[in-house]
Amino acid sequence: MKKILVTGGLGFIGSHTAVELQNAGFEVVIIDDLSNAKLEVLNNISKITGKTPEFHQIDLKKKDQVVAFFENNTIDGIIHFAAFKAVGESVQKPLEYYENNIGSLVYLLQEMRDRKLDNFIFSSSCTVYGQADELPITENAPIKPAESPYGNTKQVGEEIIQDTCKANGLNAIALRYFNPIGAHETANIGELPLGVPQNLIPYVTQTAAGIREQLSVFGDDYNTPDGTAIRDYIHVVDLAKAHIAALNRLLSKKNDTNFEVFNVGTGKGSSVLEIVKAFEKATNQNLNYKIVERRAGDITAAYADTTIANEKLNWKTEKTLEEALLSAWKWQTNQV
Ligand code: UD1
């Protein structure tokens, strides 16, 4: 059985990926510092799969903790999710973001190099494209200057990995996620935003649940059919499965070059108002919303060209937007 380390494995995408790894027959080891996740997620993973992953509470920006882990564990691949991810907070606390997101990445790669470990998958983001000149966005679209320190950690992270692949023969894949939403169909795991949600779907579900009074739709004067901004919302379970596909590509040595990037989205864009309507229809809820000013830093439209990911990863999305919204709602109503 191949043993896969999932850093940040108790977080939103990490926990769904841990489940899919176990379902695919991998042995999962999770590292999480619990800075933005709860330990009970571990039990909730095992409720779904019947198996509790091995868990280590480790702060990856502490080099001695990273070294100690690798001294005692041999692993066949790493899926690296552990990172801070709040765009606004990163503007206020750039050094914390660089220390956490870049420091932990460097320490992991050093251990991989020194111990001759291989197969690294990195959580990247479509944020690296900024407002792309052409839609849908292909992997060859130019990288635009980052809008935030968070976005910069993804760009620099990719560069650090690419340099390491070149110098040390590491094989790695960066997955550029579009907008992950939804939850596991069992509603045992899902997104747990701290405080007031910044992302659209948790704000929508919390508003429908009566936790928030009203959803603010940020701007209806964009150059789009209904004036609201367009994104590519992908079900988190489909996204999790893309990691298994990428891992299998590396383990079976089918990668074309030792550093590859793939877009992970549905290929379909939805506007904010389309999401509101689709949510209302899928869940039979009425959503209280109003149009307000644009949010600073937001782009007009982003959705993926998934041709290369579909072909090379032999992966495609299986779930609909409605299923994703319904699963997010089921997860929300399951929270006490
Ligand atoms: C954001 C991050 C991105 C990150 C991604 C993770 C920014 C600028 N970008 O993407 O780097 O990778 O989350 O999921 O924060 N919206 C509303 N009302 C709300 C919340 C959002 O109208 O209360 C709109 C936004 O203006 C946007 C869309 O909904 O048009 C999606 O927003 P969000 O879920 O925050 O994702 P992104 O901004 O695309």
Side-chain angles (χ1 to χ4, degrees):
M1 216 186 215
K2 299 271 187 206
K3 197 166 168 180
I4 306 302
L5 170 62
V6 182
T7 74
L10 298 185
F12 175 41
I13 307 172
S15 59
H16 288 83
T17 302
V19 165
E20 295 309 322
L21 281 167
Q22 289 187 323
N23 285 345
F26 291 100
E27 187 181 343
V28 176
V29 184
I30 289 177
I31 286 181
D32 204 296
D33 68 356
L34 301 180
S35 65
N36 191 18
K38 293 190 175 150
L39 192 53
E40 68 199 42
V41 174
L42 201 61
N43 290 329
N44 295 336
I45 291 171
S46 68
K47 275 185 204 156
I48 299 172
T49 62
K51 207 176 158 203
T52 310
E54 186 180 321
F55 174 68
H56 300 262
Q57 184 176 348
I58 286 174
D59 182 347
L60 293 172
K61 62 181 176 298
K62 306 251 167 69
K63 189 173 166 75
D64 56 332
Q65 295 187 18
V66 181
V67 172
F69 170 82
F70 283 96
E71 263 164 15
N72 298 309
N73 292 275
T74 306
I75 45 129
D76 299 294
I78 300 182
I79 307 183
H80 180 45
F81 294 102
F84 292 158
K85 61 172 185 179
V87 176
E89 184 185 61
S90 80
V91 177
Q92 308 300 322
K93 301 178 176 175
L95 293 177
E96 280 79 358
Y97 270 67
Y98 288 118
E99 180 188 33
N100 190 54
N101 294 8
I102 302 298
S104 59
L105 175 64
V106 169
Y107 297 151
L108 282 173
L109 292 173
Q110 284 175 334
E111 290 307 301
M112 291 187 82
R113 177 198 59 195
D114 295 348
R115 297 170 197 278
K116 304 202 177 343
L117 302 175
D118 200 4
N119 308 314
F120 189 79
I121 295 174
F122 180 61
S123 281
S124 190
S125 168
C126 69
T127 195
V128 302
Y129 300 118
Q131 179 57 68
D133 303 321
E134 284 171 38
L135 294 169
I137 303 172
T138 73
E139 287 82 351
N140 297 321
I143 304 295
K144 296 275 174 77
E147 288 273 349
S148 68
Y150 159 76
N152 206 26
T153 66
K154 294 298 173 190
Q155 294 191 5
V156 174
E158 284 194 12
E159 288 170 5
I160 290 171
I161 298 163
Q162 188 167 22
D163 291 343
T164 309
C165 288
K166 218 184 274 173
N168 303 108
L170 176 77
N171 289 283
I173 289 177
L175 297 178
R176 292 177 179 159
Y177 312 153
F178 283 68
N179 291 54
I181 63 164
H184 195 266
E185 60 182 4
T186 59
N188 282 314
I189 52 172
E191 194 171 2
L192 278 172
L194 281 183
V196 182
Q198 304 300 310
N199 295 116
L200 179 61
I201 304 305
Y203 211 104
V204 164
T205 58
Q206 289 197 7
T207 305
I211 301 167
R212 311 282 155 207
E213 208 180 305
Q214 190 172 48
L215 169 73
S216 295
V217 172
F218 296 138
D220 69 347
D221 57 351
Y222 285 101
N223 185 18
T224 62
D226 66 19
T228 63
I230 290 175
R231 298 288 184 276
D232 183 339
Y233 297 93
I234 176 170
H235 196 303
V236 65
V237 172
D238 278 333
L239 173 59
K241 287 179 178 168
H243 294 79
I244 318 304
L247 182 66
N248 283 330
R249 181 173 172 84
L250 290 178
L251 289 171
S252 59
K253 306 203 178 303
K254 293 216 173 88
N255 46 328
D256 294 333
T257 56
N258 64 354
F259 178 69
E260 296 181 314
V261 298
F262 297 105
N263 284 343
V264 188
T266 68
K268 190 180 168 299
S270 304
S271 74
V272 179
L273 283 181
E274 282 171 341
I275 291 292
V276 168
K277 299 296 166 213
F279 178 83
E280 289 184 325
K281 192 163 168 231
T283 63
N284 262 323
Q285 297 293 311
N286 266 327
L287 202 63
N288 181 19
Y289 73 90
K290 67 165 183 225
I291 310 285
V292 302
E293 289 294 293
R294 290 182 181 196
R295 180 172 70 179
D298 274 353
I299 55 167
T300 303
Y303 51 95
D305 184 325
T306 61
T307 314
I308 295 179
N310 295 160
E311 206 174 284
K312 304 230 173 198
L313 294 178
N314 194 19
W315 161 92
K316 62 176 172 39
T317 54
E318 290 164 358
K319 294 183 181 285
T320 62
L321 178 65
E322 287 67 31
E323 284 174 287
L325 294 170
L326 206 51
S327 69
W329 178 236
K330 189 174 168 193
W331 164 250
Q332 179 66 57
T333 53
N334 219 25
Q335 306 305 302
V336 275

